[in-house]
Amino acid sequence: MSTLKRSEVNIEETWNLADLFATEQQFEDAIVEAKEVATAIAETYKGKIVDTESAVNVIAAYEKLYEKLVPIGTYANLAHSVEQTDSEAQMRAAKVGQFHSALGAQLSFIQSELLQLDESVLVEASEKAPQYANYIRKLLRQKPYQLHPEAEKALAAFGTTFDAAYGLYNTTKLVDMQFPNFEANGESYPLSYNLFEGDWEPENDKEVRHAAFEAFHSKLREYQHTTAKTYDTHLKTEKTEADLRGYSSVFDYLLQSQEVDRTLYDRQIDLIMSELAPHMRRYAKLLQKVHKLEQMTFADLKISLDPSYEPKVTIDESRKYMKEGLAVMGADYAEMLDRSFDERWTDFANNAGKSTGAFCSSPFGYHPYILISWTSKMNEVFVLAHELGHAGHFYLANANQNIYNARPSLYFIEAPSTMNEMLMANHLLQNSNDARFKRWVISTIVSRTYYHNFVTHLLEAAYQRKVYDIIDAGGSVNAPKLNELKRSVLEQFWGDTVDILDGAELTWMRQPHYYMGLYPYTYSAGLTISTQVSKRILEEGEPAVADWINVLKAGGTQSPVELAKMAGVDITTEEPLRNTISYIGSLIDELEKLTAELGEI
């Protein structure tokens, strides 16, 4: 099971970046053209945004430039993400980062001059050009926090520097951190980030699983101080900007663009930490009984309830699952799914230097791109359905909105992705009466969909909130402190049901989400919405699907509260979250019942 080099993988399992730029020369030419357009905008409008007409014209001019910038950044980032160790890809990504910073500084006058206009002028501009009303509305929300134009220009110029912590994190994690083979049962096994998360965490053989856990975290431990310093640098950058702009807290600064208040953020963390924990402890005990483990440890939480019933699925077979499981979404959605396979939107390859996890990039004006490292395990069907949920969302939003209106709040971003997981599960359950298969499907929903989004990411969010509390109070963090905070969250959630092994506290080193603002909690927020809407689709059928399609098409033209309301869910109350937690409890009830029927406990 040696990890392939990028040059050794099957090209059919890689995405086709030629749809962005067919040649490197086209990419370089696009940068030159964008620079020329930016210079023309500065020459035409700088110091001259004085009325409604000039306001509308500069917003329109920047819209065209924005559309040109999207493929440039996407191409550089995607090429780098599949081969972080490639020097050419590293330099290309760095060049584009610096290019964006320079451009941001050059054109920072646009927002500054727009916000220096009387508010009535901007309102009039919204009425004259309603396609830009949403952009102007969001702009006006920034008005109280806008700095002097020269200060805004300086901040924009430092863009690459401010983003450097995230780049350093990835370099440490995916380039410098080389994992040696580990020994178990007298055999030697290869180890990497992707192999640990894709193969060894869910490995049924306890000796192999625990040996991999120890070897993986031993290597992480060697880099904990550098990684902690990198993270502390990122946190200080966020705190400094929050203070400079006059936000009362770093939380307010990070939540503002999400268009939700602290109430929705805190509720998501507090309720799940207290009310979901008992259900998940029952699930952990069920795993312990079925696997006859003397002690349930943190290294055992990702094992399958029925490992002997883990079907293998090829990439070609996954296409059939996508088409059948998501058929309820209609013919246009099915056509998008076919295109994703026919046109190589997805990078399935499992190679050294590739980014961990999975993601979807959806450049405006182009088709989406999905990164996944295919392991042939059936649970990858849910991962792919999740990423295709993002793809379908932006496929529809980009087709129905302009570039300013397409992207919704981060709070809502995980609803369409987790919706597809729920639809896939509903389809599989409706098409089988076999108790063992039903148990496998339900356990996959619990162990992948809900564990991933309501446990893994939520525990990240609970830990992250503790970190920001320290930063907000003017403090700093280092590796011992981050280890202490992460361990405390894990112990609070799992109680005495799970032994939090040495190494588990280093889990904070594994996720890139901490460099993306208050992102981790949005997974559970999105899944709360999608759980309730998927129940509507089961009960009502086509009317609920039609509502959901309209939500996807709306993109970012509505706030998260308004988008959820369009789908029939009121997230201003605790009810959707409590209902979702109760639903997870009912799934675990069903797992206990089916396991008893099968005579395994």
Side-chain angles (χ1 to χ4, degrees), residues 194 198-199 312-313 348 350 373-380:
N194 280 323
D199 291 289
K312 292 289 185 183
V313 178
F348 293 98
N350 208 331
S373 294
W374 194 257
T375 63
S376 297
K377 292 180 179 175
M378 180 67 178
N379 78 325
E380 297 287 358

Side-chain angles (χ1 to χ4, degrees), residues 17-18 47 117 156 160 171 190 251 254 264 275 311 455 502 514 545 571 596:
L17 296 186
L117 294 171
T160 305
T171 300
F251 291 99
L254 294 171
L264 271 68
E275 298 189 14
V455 180
D502 285 347
Y514 304 128
V545 172
I571 58 172

Side-chain angles (χ1 to χ4, degrees), residues 372-518:
I372 185 173
S373 294
W374 194 257
T375 63
S376 297
K377 292 180 179 175
M378 180 67 178
N379 78 325
E380 297 287 358
V381 166
F382 285 88
V383 181
L384 184 56
H386 177 105
E387 299 307 333
L388 282 166
H390 287 304
H393 184 192
F394 287 103
Y395 182 80
L396 292 170
N398 289 350
N400 288 276
Q401 305 296 337
N402 64 36
I403 197 167
Y404 292 131
N405 293 347
R407 192 168 188 82
S409 157
L410 196 61
Y411 184 94
F412 192 82
I413 214 81
E414 295 298 337
S417 52
T418 51
M419 166 63 90
N420 275 17
E421 294 189 56
M422 299 306 298
L423 294 178
M424 183 63 67
N426 289 343
H427 166 73
L428 293 174
L429 287 172
Q430 285 175 327
N431 285 276
S432 177
N433 292 315
D434 179 74
R436 198 171 178 203
F437 182 73
K438 283 182 70 175
R439 184 179 70 159
W440 179 84
V441 173
I442 294 169
S443 70
T444 301
I445 302 171
V446 171
S447 66
R448 210 229 82 81
T449 304
Y450 284 108
Y451 190 106
H452 188 65
N453 300 293
F454 258 75
V455 180
T456 299
H457 290 317
L458 199 281
L459 294 181
E460 288 174 16
Y463 151 84
Q464 188 184 42
R465 184 170 63 173
K466 290 176 182 288
V467 171
Y468 278 119
D469 280 337
I470 292 171
I471 299 300
D472 234 3
S476 300
V477 291
N478 58 14
K481 188 62 183 178
L482 295 174
N483 291 341
E484 173 198 326
L485 294 175
K486 188 64 182 181
R487 178 173 283 277
S488 71
V489 168
L490 295 175
E491 289 174 344
Q492 179 189 344
F493 189 83
W494 292 111
D496 58 6
T497 303
V498 177
D499 180 18
I500 308 301
L501 297 173
D502 285 347
E505 73 281 359
L506 298 169
T507 304
W508 64 266
M509 294 177 65
R510 292 170 54 184
Q511 285 290 0
H513 295 142
Y514 304 128
Y515 296 84
M516 302 173 187
L518 298 178

